[in-house]
Amino acid sequence: MPNIRRFIVYILGLVVLSFGIAFSIRSGLGVSPVSSIPYTLSRITGKTVGFTTTAFYSFCIFLQLLILKKDFKLRHLLQFVFSYVFGLFTDMSMFLTRNLATDIYPVRLAMLAVSLVLIAFGVYTVVLTDVVMNAPDGLVKTISDHWHVEFSKVKSIFDVICVSTSIILSLVFMGNITGLREGTIIASLSIGRLIGVVSRRYKEKIASLYS
C-alpha cells in the first residue's frame, strides 16, 4: 500500500509539473527554463510541445548514460517510458489551459507566479518520491550526486543553460528569439531557490502523503 501511495503521489507530481509548464506558456511572458528547449523545438519543427518534450527528455537520459556509465541502471531506462507519459500530460495540460491566454499584464504576471510555484512543487515531489525521475531532473540529480553539489544549485545552473541553448536555437533557425521573455529570466533565477524553499518547508508534509 505505501508503494501504491508513493506512485500516486509521483503521478500527481508529474501532473502538477505539466500544469506549471502550461501556465508558463499561457502567461505569454516566456516559458520556464526547462521548457524553453522543447518549446523552441516545437516552434521550429511544428510538432506539439508534448512531442518535443519527450525528445528533449530522451536526450537528457542519454547524457545521464554518459555520466553514469556502468552505474546506469534499469530504473534510468524507465525514464523513457515516463518521459513519454509526461509528454502526454503536457499536451493534456496545454489543451485544458487553451482558453487562459490574456493580454492583461497583471493577470499574466499572476499566471507566471502560479507556474513557478507549480513547477517547484512538481519537480520536488517527483524527486522526493524517487520512483522514476523526469529526465531533466534526473540529469540534475545525477550531476548533483556525481559531483556532490546541492540539487537546487545544479538546477539553477541547468536552467540557465537551457535558456541559453534556446536563444541560440531560436536565432539560428528562426532569426529571432521566441518564447523567451522576462518570465523566463525570472524563472531561471527563482525556480532553483523555490525548490530549496519547498524542500525545507514541505518535505515532511509531502512525504507523509505516501509514507
Side-chain angles (χ1 to χ4, degrees):
M1 188 63 179
N3 289 334
I4 295 176
R5 288 201 300 266
R6 180 186 292 268
F7 183 76
I8 292 174
V9 173
Y10 169 77
I11 293 297
L12 288 175
L14 288 182
V15 173
V16 169
L17 180 56
S18 71
F19 272 100
I21 291 171
F23 268 87
S24 70
I25 293 174
R26 298 307 185 196
S27 73
L29 296 180
V31 298
S32 63
V34 74
S35 302
S36 59
I37 293 179
Y39 182 77
T40 300
L41 291 175
S42 175
R43 295 295 300 273
I44 293 172
T45 64
K47 301 293 185 180
T48 68
V49 176
F51 178 88
T52 54
T53 294
T54 300
F56 172 59
Y57 281 23
S58 297
F59 177 70
C60 289
I61 298 170
F62 175 70
L63 292 181
Q64 291 177 60
L65 173 61
L66 293 181
I67 295 172
L68 293 173
K69 298 177 182 176
K70 63 180 181 179
D71 293 325
F72 191 84
K73 308 296 184 182
L74 175 61
R75 65 179 305 175
H76 295 102
L77 282 177
L78 289 176
Q79 290 180 43
F80 281 111
V81 177
F82 285 93
S83 294
Y84 174 75
V85 172
F86 184 68
L88 295 179
F89 284 165
T90 301
D91 282 341
M92 174 196 71
S93 299
M94 289 292 292
F95 176 77
L96 293 176
T97 60
R98 65 192 183 282
N99 296 323
L100 293 182
T102 177
D103 293 327
I104 304 173
Y105 194 77
V107 177
R108 287 186 171 189
L109 285 175
M111 292 174 63
L112 175 64
V114 169
S115 76
L116 296 179
V117 173
L118 291 177
I119 289 171
F121 269 96
V123 167
Y124 187 69
T125 299
V126 170
V127 171
L128 186 63
T129 52
D130 195 29
V131 177
V132 178
M133 298 188 71
N134 276 327
D137 300 326
L139 176 58
V140 170
K141 190 172 188 300
T142 295
I143 295 171
S144 174
D145 292 344
H146 189 77
W147 282 287
H148 307 291
V149 182
E150 185 178 349
F151 179 88
S152 59
K153 292 181 180 179
V154 179
K155 174 65 175 174
S156 295
I157 296 172
F158 179 77
D159 285 349
V160 172
I161 292 174
C162 284
V163 171
S164 301
T165 302
S166 298
I167 291 174
I168 294 172
L169 289 173
S170 294
L171 291 175
V172 170
F173 291 98
M174 292 183 288
N176 56 61
I177 298 176
T178 180
L180 303 175
R181 287 184 49 176
E182 62 270 32
T184 306
I185 298 174
I186 293 171
S188 65
L189 296 175
S190 63
I191 288 179
R193 292 180 174 86
L194 283 173
I195 291 173
V197 172
V198 172
S199 173
R200 290 190 295 272
R201 296 187 178 182
Y202 298 100
K203 179 178 180 178
E204 293 183 1
K205 293 181 179 180
I206 295 174
S208 68
L209 295 175
Y210 60 83
S211 60

